[in-house]
Amino acid sequence: MPEADSGDAKNFQTDVPPPADGFFLKGSGSLDWGMSNRLSRIFRPETGRTVMLAIDHGYFQGPTTGLERVDISILPLVPLADALMCTRGILRSVVPPSMRTPVVMRASGGPSILKELSDEQIAIDIEDAARLNVAALAVQVFIGGEHETQSIHNLTRLVDMGLRYGIPVMGVTAVGKQLTRDAKYLRLACRIIAELGAQFVKTYYCDEGFDTVTASCPVPVVMAGGKKLPELDALTMASRAVTEGAAGVDMGRNIFQSDNTEGMMRAVTAVVHERKSPQEALEIYRSHRAAPVGHSSTR
Ligand code: R5P
């Protein structure tokens, strides 16, 4: 028998107003609980930023430098990342399901580096994404590219599917060989991606006017790393991006092509979350230089 429920013993704390805080990410206050929860796994609520490790390059580049053996070079870094961006093939074949780092899954594909890259299609079923417990889906959008409309359609279909399952979509501004990466172009691309429903956007950094790119995008923007730079330059770029409004980074080559991948992960994290200066972060990078390949790390 359940015990009698005495109304006199209850404490409704009627003098304490319930919390009415908005969600911590910009433009994200009207999302459903599941989607907000997934975003909170990718972006740290205490800083509002993320350090994503991008290793999805093989979906069109094959075993690119640094990703020849993901099991050896990448798995030790995964616990250090706020999120891992990868394909479902690598996830199932290489990444142990006991991993606790959330996954941002590459969800578009088609052409290899031998073909016209903008000719992509959606490359995963939303039910498989749910089965894999992904925290977000990522789709390339080729504004100004040959297959611009098709890539936009990939984005909007993925957003619709994501909304049904509570899975956010990250739209990626793909910059083809002919397209410039100036603020005018990146503003156009990021804004279109946000207007068409992506919950967050990934874009490249530009030296002039990046703050106008983040300011005119109503949802969080994360910075892609781009081609490998000297470590101090990469840390400086990440630092400037965050100062100019980025909600973190989604970096690949500048981490996995570094001669000290663990040190670089820790240095980027220090820049993004602790707002260490690039020079301070470089010291962190150097101080972890001794870690051997395959060394197991803790977060
Ligand atoms: C490239 O197409 C992939 O989407 C990468 O995830 C993205 O470019 C970020 O990697 P990286 O920092 O190497 O540019």
Side-chain angles (χ1 to χ4, degrees):
M1 281 277 288
E3 64 189 31
D5 183 16
S6 164
D8 295 342
K10 294 179 190 287
N11 181 0
F12 293 100
Q13 304 193 57
T14 55
D15 55 333
V16 181
D21 299 340
F23 193 58
F24 69 97
L25 292 173
K26 80 169 177 177
S28 312
S30 301
L31 302 175
D32 191 32
W33 194 94
M35 193 169 278
S36 302
N37 180 256
R38 285 186 166 93
L39 288 169
S40 303
R41 293 169 57 208
I42 299 168
F43 295 89
R44 293 191 195 178
E46 60 269 29
T47 65
R49 295 186 287 273
T50 185
V51 174
M52 295 167 54
L53 175 61
I55 60 154
D56 60 316
H57 305 58
Y59 91 97
F60 70 107
Q61 290 187 305
T64 197
T65 306
L67 296 181
E68 301 91 336
R69 286 289 303 271
V70 170
D71 56 331
I72 296 171
S73 63
I74 298 299
L75 290 189
L77 304 178
V78 171
L80 301 174
D82 293 315
L84 178 69
M85 184 185 179
C86 65
T87 60
R88 63 173 161 177
I90 284 294
L91 191 67
R92 279 204 169 96
S93 60
V94 179
V95 181
S98 53
M99 174 195 77
R100 296 173 60 83
T101 305
V103 170
V104 176
M105 179 146 291
R106 161 62 51 190
S108 64
S112 74
I113 41 172
L114 307 178
K115 295 281 197 175
E116 166 53 44
L117 289 179
S118 67
D119 192 16
E120 284 196 351
Q121 301 198 356
I122 292 176
I124 189 169
D125 189 294
I126 191 70
E127 288 185 4
D128 201 34
R131 242 187 320 270
L132 288 165
N133 195 30
V134 306
L137 294 162
V139 57
Q140 219 78 350
V141 179
F142 295 82
I143 299 299
E146 189 176 329
H147 297 275
E148 176 185 70
T149 301
Q150 180 179 310
S151 72
I152 288 279
H153 189 53
N154 293 340
L155 167 71
T156 52
R157 280 181 53 218
L158 209 58
V159 167
D160 283 334
M161 291 191 285
L163 287 169
R164 281 207 290 280
Y165 283 79
I167 300 177
V169 170
M170 179 176 80
V172 182
T173 65
V175 180
K177 295 186 186 97
Q178 279 81 39
L179 297 170
T180 51
R181 294 182 183 184
D182 61 14
K184 186 178 178 186
Y185 174 80
L186 297 178
R187 278 196 302 268
L188 175 75
C190 290
R191 182 61 175 262
I192 288 173
I193 288 171
E195 296 255 0
L196 290 172
Q199 282 78 26
F200 61 114
V201 177
K202 171 162 105 167
T203 196
Y204 291 95
Y205 185 71
C206 57
D207 286 328
E208 301 286 328
F210 186 75
D211 55 345
T212 67
V213 177
T214 59
S216 58
C217 183
V219 296
V221 172
V222 294
M223 185 205 77
K227 68 177 178 7
K228 176 75 175 70
L229 301 170
E231 275 72 13
L232 182 59
D233 292 354
L235 294 168
T236 301
M237 182 172 68
S239 179
R240 288 184 63 183
V242 170
T243 299
E244 293 166 31
V249 301
D250 183 16
M251 274 180 135
R253 287 163 286 179
N254 276 292
I255 293 173
F256 65 69
Q257 291 180 350
S258 172
D259 62 358
N260 174 10
T261 54
E262 180 180 332
M264 197 56 184
M265 268 307 306
R266 292 184 185 279
V268 172
T269 298
V271 163
V272 170
H273 288 302
E274 298 159 35
R275 300 312 332 269
K276 297 281 188 199
S277 71
Q279 198 60 50
E280 289 172 318
L282 189 68
E283 290 309 312
I284 292 170
Y285 157 78
R286 287 180 175 146
S287 70
H288 284 87
R289 177 170 289 281
V293 172
H295 169 76
S296 161
S297 310
T298 51
R299 193 164 182 171

